[in-house]
Amino acid sequence: MDEQLYCPSHHPSGGGGGSSDDRKDEQAKGSQDLFELLERLQNSRLDDQRCVLPAYFSQTTSRTAAGEPKEMVKKKKGCDTIEEVLKKSGPYPMIILPQNGGYWVDGMDHDCPFDNQGNPVLPQHIWKSKFEMDETARCYRRFFLGKEHFNFFAVDDNFGPLVISMKSETISSQEHIRIVLRMKSGSVHELVPLSCLGDTPSPARIARLLNEDVTVERFFPVLFHKGSELIVAYDEHILVNTFKFGIIYQRFGQTTEEELFGNVNHSLAMEEFLEMLGDRVKLRDFKGYRGGLDTQDGQTGDDSVFIKYKEREIMFHVSTLLPFSDGDPQQLQRKRHIGNDIVAIVFQESNTPFVPDMIASHFLHAYVVVQVLDPNSANTR
């Protein structure tokens, strides 16, 4: 039973004297119930992925260098458009917020010293990568899978389907019960001393310890031989190890989407930037994460930029590496990929402003704007 243990006291009613066929029917029904239970939990998780931004991010405010909030630009008569800004003499801002609002800027509120020649002196940082993830999603594989443990399921009047996993552990000479309770609203992981559970801990009592609003009194054991595989697949379905980002090349003075996607090729400075991001790979017969690019017929170009970083695969949709169509001013082949990304990097070859609403997209929500300093030199940064 793939090391699925259960207590006879929690087995569905039927008596120890039932026939073999009855027991098989009960086991088949239990397996079917588990499939339906996990499917219902899975469907509810789709709604969880439709998130609402916190109030802080929903505010139409930016921040001054002193950290004090200030109102964003919103349909203000005195606000200069990008065309008006370019008519003035430089230097120009890297980013201009849209007149209709909807965006804020981070990473611009800092003081940058300059050397005797007027070049910016950038501070040295020792960056440490940090990945934010749901650690509870990995608990079952880490602590339960392949080890002796219990899996039970039930349907609660308040929470609907519930799946609970329990495992006994000894920590510092004290008995503990490791618990994972799965509900529509999410999963809860706890390590509880056995002394807190009383003399006869039942799955229902343990579930109420994690959530006092659980009302169901009886849990049924998971008897399906692949129950552990289904549970670990459900827990880890929210984990993402593949990513795709767009990269847009912006020349000086380009102010429209057509101009951005209409760049046939890019500069040596951007080529150096791409080499820093990842490896140039041939798309034909590429075996890694392709990010929606064609790896058989070459319909999305011959090359792209890819990197595998700490067990995560990243494919970049580089605008100038995607096919260019002479008869299409909108370059829909390029926009089809980059316009469906969530995050895009804008590489500016020189001091020129970028406005987020240059590109019409329902998916692009964040831009990382990079402007090269001293390109093609030993001091490029």
Side-chain angles (χ1 to χ4, degrees):
M1 288 189 293
D2 193 21
E3 304 206 41
Q4 303 298 315
L5 306 181
Y6 64 95
C7 296
S9 61
H10 295 291
H11 194 280
S13 61
S19 66
S20 175
D21 291 339
D22 291 339
R23 286 194 295 270
K24 290 181 180 179
D25 290 342
E26 290 175 358
Q27 184 172 350
K29 185 178 184 303
S31 301
Q32 183 179 0
D33 290 344
L34 177 65
F35 278 122
E36 294 175 353
L37 193 65
L38 290 174
E39 182 180 3
R40 290 166 66 182
L41 278 169
Q42 178 83 2
N43 290 339
S44 71
R45 284 289 183 90
L46 295 177
D47 292 331
D48 295 343
Q49 298 175 21
R50 299 180 175 91
C51 63
V52 178
L53 288 175
Y56 172 81
F57 295 116
S58 301
Q59 296 172 352
T60 55
T61 61
S62 183
R63 292 186 178 274
T64 63
E68 298 176 354
K70 62 179 181 180
E71 293 188 0
M72 260 190 186
V73 181
K74 290 183 65 178
K75 290 187 178 180
K76 196 174 179 181
K77 291 183 179 180
C79 177
D80 292 337
T81 64
I82 186 171
E83 290 82 4
E84 293 171 337
V85 170
L86 286 171
K87 290 179 181 178
K88 303 176 182 178
S89 59
Y92 305 103
M94 291 178 62
I95 302 169
I96 299 176
L97 293 176
Q99 290 182 321
N100 295 330
Y103 286 87
W104 70 92
V105 181
D106 281 338
M108 301 291 289
D109 300 334
H110 56 80
D111 294 324
C112 182
F114 294 86
D115 59 20
N116 295 332
Q117 298 179 349
N119 297 318
V121 178
L122 303 181
Q124 297 295 324
H125 293 284
I126 300 177
W127 300 106
K128 292 184 179 180
S129 59
K130 178 183 178 182
F131 294 102
E132 295 183 358
M133 65 184 70
D134 185 357
E135 294 294 340
T136 304
R138 298 182 182 272
C139 284
Y140 190 79
R141 180 182 295 276
R142 181 180 177 185
F143 298 108
F144 294 83
L145 194 63
K147 301 178 179 66
E148 187 176 284
H149 65 282
F150 300 84
N151 290 320
F152 295 93
F153 69 95
V155 178
D156 186 77
D157 291 337
N158 294 331
F159 298 99
L162 304 176
V163 177
I164 189 171
S165 300
M166 302 182 298
K167 174 176 172 288
S168 177
E169 295 185 14
T170 301
I171 301 176
S172 300
S173 302
Q174 186 178 5
E175 289 292 324
H176 290 72
I177 298 294
R178 189 176 295 276
I179 312 162
V180 177
L181 177 63
R182 303 166 186 85
M183 303 173 289
K184 284 183 178 181
S185 57
S187 299
V188 182
H189 169 234
E190 292 289 348
L191 184 64
V192 181
L194 188 60
S195 57
C196 297
L197 301 176
D199 297 332
T200 56
S202 66
R205 183 174 179 177
I206 293 174
R208 279 193 290 273
L209 183 66
L210 270 62
N211 192 314
E212 60 184 10
D213 294 326
V214 172
T215 60
V216 65
E217 292 294 339
R218 189 173 187 182
F219 280 73
F220 298 97
V222 176
L223 302 178
F224 182 51
H225 69 286
K226 291 188 177 181
S228 287
E229 296 178 19
L230 289 173
I231 291 173
V232 75
Y234 168 76
D235 284 352
E236 296 183 356
H237 85 278
I238 62 173
L239 300 177
V240 179
N241 292 318
T242 54
F243 304 87
K244 55 189 182 76
F245 301 106
I247 300 181
I248 303 169
Y249 179 55
Q250 184 184 17
R251 299 182 188 274
F252 175 78
Q254 292 186 333
T255 61
T256 66
E257 175 183 297
E258 289 76 16
E259 291 175 330
L260 295 177
F261 288 116
N263 291 317
V264 179
N265 47 41
H266 55 256
S267 64
L268 292 176
M270 178 165 166
E271 184 64 31
E272 186 177 1
F273 178 67
L274 295 178
E275 292 175 358
M276 182 189 72
L277 288 180
D279 302 318
R280 183 75 71 94
V281 296
K282 293 290 183 183
L283 288 176
R284 185 174 293 274
D285 299 326
F286 180 68
K287 302 303 181 185
Y289 174 63
R290 62 189 183 93
L293 300 179
D294 180 23
T295 58
Q296 295 182 350
D297 303 319
Q299 295 183 4
T300 55
D302 298 325
D303 303 88
S304 191
V305 176
F306 171 87
I307 188 172
K308 189 170 184 179
Y309 181 72
K310 293 191 176 181
E311 300 182 356
R312 290 161 177 82
E313 296 180 85
I314 304 172
M315 177 63 78
F316 294 97
H317 295 153
V318 185
S319 62
T320 49
L321 295 182
L322 292 168
F324 176 83
S325 303
D326 289 323
D328 181 11
Q330 293 183 314
Q331 298 301 320
L332 294 179
Q333 175 74 313
R334 292 176 167 183
K335 186 178 178 182
R336 181 169 68 92
H337 293 282
I338 299 177
N340 285 317
D341 293 331
I342 305 297
V343 179
I345 301 171
V346 179
F347 183 86
Q348 299 176 330
E349 71 168 9
S350 60
N351 179 228
T352 193
F354 172 78
V355 183
D357 63 358
M358 279 183 183
I359 302 172
S361 171
H362 293 292
F363 295 93
L364 278 172
H365 279 64
Y367 295 94
V368 180
V369 183
V370 178
Q371 193 172 107
V372 64
L373 301 176
D374 293 336
N376 310 315
S377 70
N379 197 31
T380 300
R381 57 207 189 278

